[in-house]
Amino acid sequence: LDVAQVQSLLSHSDALQQLYIDATSALSLSARSTHRLLRVARTLADMSDSNVIEQEHLLQALSYRH
């Protein structure tokens, strides 16, 4: 998936989009790192049989960063 496709999976929740923006800003992640973060979150969502990335998937992906 490209960046736009993965980010579209966050579009169902404004709070989730804000969490993503805040986290990537606070951690000073590069564009490459943010795309990797979203891919990991998407993989976690797939493993949970979820059609979209949920907060728990994004937080778990962030936890793998540090």
Side-chain angles (χ1 to χ4, degrees), residues 4-64:
Q5 291 171 321
V6 176
Q7 284 181 330
S8 71
L9 298 170
L10 293 174
S11 65
H12 72 285
S13 169
D14 290 337
L16 187 58
Q17 284 182 352
Q18 192 59 50
L19 173 64
Y20 167 73
I21 291 167
D22 291 345
T24 57
S25 177
L27 296 173
S28 301
L29 298 180
S30 67
R32 183 176 175 186
S33 293
T34 58
H35 187 210
R36 187 176 305 127
L37 173 70
L38 288 175
R39 287 192 332 238
V40 170
R42 177 66 251 172
T43 299
L44 294 167
D46 286 341
M47 292 171 59
S48 298
D49 292 326
S50 177
N51 291 331
V52 294
I53 297 171
E54 300 290 344
Q55 182 175 346
E56 65 189 62
H57 306 131
L58 185 59
L59 291 175
Q60 186 174 359
L62 281 166
S63 75
Y64 295 145

